[in-house]
Amino acid sequence: MYQRILAPVDGSSASDRGFREAVALARDQNARLRVLHVVDEYALALDLSGTTDLGQMHETLKRYGEDVLDKAKRYAADQGVQAETVLRETVDRRVAGAVLAEAQSFNADLIVMGTHGRRGLSHLILGSDAEVVVRSSPVPVLLVRSGEAQ
C-alpha cells in the first residue's frame, strides 16, 4: 500500500515512538524509508541577545541531528529495514515547512511522525509542527502520540 514513507525525527521520546512505527510500517509494506532531521536555524536567528555564539550553536545542533539520524539508521537496520537519512537546515520557515518540502521531493505517500499531543496553554505557546503538517500535507499523515500526553 505504501511505497515511500517519510519519518521526521528530532530525538525526543515522541519522535522516537513515531519513528519506531514508521520502521514497522516500512518493514510490513516493503517500503522505502527516508528519515529526516531538520536543524531549525530559525530559533537561532531569534536570539538577539548576542550572548550566544551562533556559529558554535549551529554546529552543535547539526552534530546532534547527525547523531539522531545515525541512531535511527542503526535501529532501522536492526529491524531489517534499510533507511536513508537526510539532514536539512531551515532559517526561513517552520520545521513543518521543511517536512512538507521533503515529502514532496521524496514523493512520499505517507508521513509518520510522533507528537506530544499537547493541549491548552502549552499547545498555544509551543505550537505544533505536527498539526501544520496534518493540515497542509497532500499525502496521509500518521501521528503517533507519545506516552507523555495527558
Side-chain angles (χ1 to χ4, degrees), residues 22 50 67 92 108 150:
D67 184 51
D92 59 344
Q150 295 183 10

Side-chain angles (χ1 to χ4, degrees), residues 4-147:
R4 295 170 168 263
I5 299 172
L6 177 66
V9 296
D10 65 10
S12 69
S13 60
S15 168
D16 290 347
R17 194 162 180 178
F19 174 68
R20 288 191 302 270
E21 186 67 27
V23 169
L25 276 169
R27 183 180 56 231
D28 181 64
Q29 300 289 307
N30 197 26
R32 286 184 59 191
L33 177 63
R34 180 174 287 181
V35 186
L36 169 68
H37 180 83
V38 179
V39 176
D40 186 7
E41 295 180 31
Y42 180 73
L44 290 177
L46 292 178
D47 181 6
L48 302 176
S49 67
T51 59
T52 303
D53 178 350
L54 296 182
Q56 180 63 36
M57 181 62 81
H58 175 262
E59 286 306 311
T60 299
L61 290 174
K62 194 171 173 183
R63 278 194 306 273
Y64 174 77
E66 290 166 350
D67 184 51
V68 167
L69 290 173
D70 286 344
K71 288 177 183 175
K73 191 168 191 167
R74 283 195 308 272
Y75 175 84
D78 289 346
Q79 301 302 309
V81 173
Q82 184 176 2
E84 59 185 88
T85 60
V86 178
L87 181 82
R88 299 284 188 232
E89 301 175 34
T90 184
V91 169
D92 59 344
R93 59 182 166 192
R94 288 183 62 158
V95 169
V99 170
L100 293 167
E102 192 66 34
Q104 183 176 17
S105 72
F106 179 53
N107 199 25
D109 48 22
L110 177 68
I111 301 170
V112 179
M113 57 192 304
T115 181
H116 292 283
R118 290 187 181 100
R119 295 174 185 245
L121 186 59
S122 65
H123 173 75
L124 188 63
I125 293 170
L126 297 173
S128 172
D129 283 303
E131 182 178 347
V132 173
V133 170
V134 167
R135 290 181 186 267
S136 304
S137 178
V139 300
V141 179
L142 172 61
L143 294 181
V144 180
R145 289 185 70 168
S146 74

